[in-house]
Amino acid sequence: MTELGDQRQPHEPPLASRRTVLRAAGLLALTGTGAAALASCSADAQTAPSATPAAATTSPPASPSPTADATSPKPSASQAKAPNGPSVATSKVPVGGGVILENADYVITQPSKGKYKAFSKICTHQGCPVAAVENGVIHCNCHGSEYSIKDGSVTKPPAPKPLAEAETVVYESKVYVTG
């Protein structure tokens, strides 16, 4: 049954309340797509706007506003949390070379400018720590094994397999080993 003031047929969906339409229009206006929603708020509009608040939050703003920027929930780079894991300053890792971390089991290399790699610093031959990174290779003094700074592959035996590679992340001028 319908109420006395309701002019709809029993099979029609309920009309959106004015409050719902205004709330959706406000959300759309915050995202920069509010002009279409506000046009649907006229006195003779009988249905809600076709865009939903969920759709509005996924579309980028047409133009940034100072108010939106000041209240943005995204943290700035200085507010973001640094990754966990051992790290070294990017300035300490020479292009074509690398750095053996003293307090962690990694060697970090920079095979080409801005590209960083991390490998286990434990030689796969007999478990000695590697001793140097120079001339494009990671060198182990125990038995003379060498590994590529690009991918950790064996370039000079007796090492039987490559150094294990780990993930790196560059954050605020530091290279972090993250996994």
Side-chain angles (χ1 to χ4, degrees):
M1 299 238 32
T2 61
E3 295 179 5
L4 292 177
D6 196 336
Q7 301 296 322
R8 293 176 288 114
Q9 298 297 319
H11 65 280
E12 291 182 316
L15 294 175
S17 71
R18 184 163 181 83
R19 177 178 285 165
T20 301
V21 172
L22 290 174
R23 184 178 296 135
L27 288 172
L28 291 171
L30 284 175
T31 64
T33 57
L38 292 176
S40 68
C41 289
S42 65
D44 58 352
Q46 294 188 3
T47 60
S50 60
T52 63
T57 59
T58 60
S59 58
S63 62
S65 70
T67 305
D69 291 342
T71 61
S72 174
K74 293 182 183 179
S76 69
S78 62
Q79 293 174 333
K81 187 176 177 183
N84 288 331
S87 66
V88 65
T90 55
S91 62
K92 301 282 185 187
V93 185
V95 176
V99 173
I100 300 168
L101 301 181
E102 291 182 25
N103 298 325
D105 288 333
Y106 296 101
V107 56
I108 298 177
T109 65
Q110 186 177 188
S112 58
K113 187 169 177 65
K115 184 172 182 172
Y116 298 92
K117 297 281 196 160
F119 305 99
S120 168
K121 73 175 182 183
I122 306 303
C123 179
T124 61
H125 177 235
Q126 289 191 346
C128 294
V130 296
V133 183
E134 54 193 18
N135 301 323
V137 295
I138 302 165
H139 181 75
C140 178
N141 283 344
C142 289
H143 298 101
S145 294
E146 292 183 346
Y147 304 89
S148 168
I149 65 169
K150 294 178 184 178
D151 60 8
S153 63
V154 176
T155 60
K156 183 179 174 189
K161 58 185 180 179
L163 294 174
E165 187 170 353
E167 297 286 322
T168 61
V169 173
V170 177
Y171 177 80
E172 293 187 351
S173 300
K174 281 191 170 185
V175 182
Y176 289 84
V177 180
T178 59

